[in-house]
Amino acid sequence: MQVAFSADGTILNDDKGKIRIKKPFKIERLKSLLNEANIPFTEKVEEGNFHSFFFVPPILEKTFTSE
């Protein structure tokens, strides 16, 4: 999950993360990862058939740390 967030995520001001994707296989894979990790999320479909996922990532960082 952290790798997905580091690759495609954005840190929001309210200590949450957002991943915005369009490809159907990425949408399904992200849903699967979030559910397997028991991470609550909300999904919003936006103009252009983009899907935005809002959640609290395991580590609220975009770069890899020693953790």
Side-chain angles (χ1 to χ4, degrees):
M1 198 53 246
Q2 189 63 40
V3 172
F5 182 72
S6 294
D8 294 324
T10 302
I11 297 173
L12 303 176
N13 291 336
D14 58 356
D15 294 331
K16 286 187 180 178
K18 172 184 173 181
I19 294 181
R20 183 176 186 252
I21 49 182
K22 186 173 186 176
K23 294 181 179 178
F25 73 93
K26 282 190 168 188
I27 292 167
E28 293 307 314
R29 180 66 178 142
L30 184 59
K31 284 181 186 180
S32 174
L33 288 172
L34 288 164
N35 286 325
E36 287 176 26
N38 293 319
I39 297 175
F41 67 93
T42 57
E43 179 182 1
K44 179 181 176 187
V45 180
E46 299 175 347
E47 185 179 332
N49 217 18
F50 283 93
H51 290 240
S52 289
F53 294 85
F54 301 90
F55 60 96
V56 178
I59 302 170
L60 195 62
E61 290 287 330
K62 291 272 299 166
T63 57
F64 292 107
T65 64
S66 61
E67 294 178 22

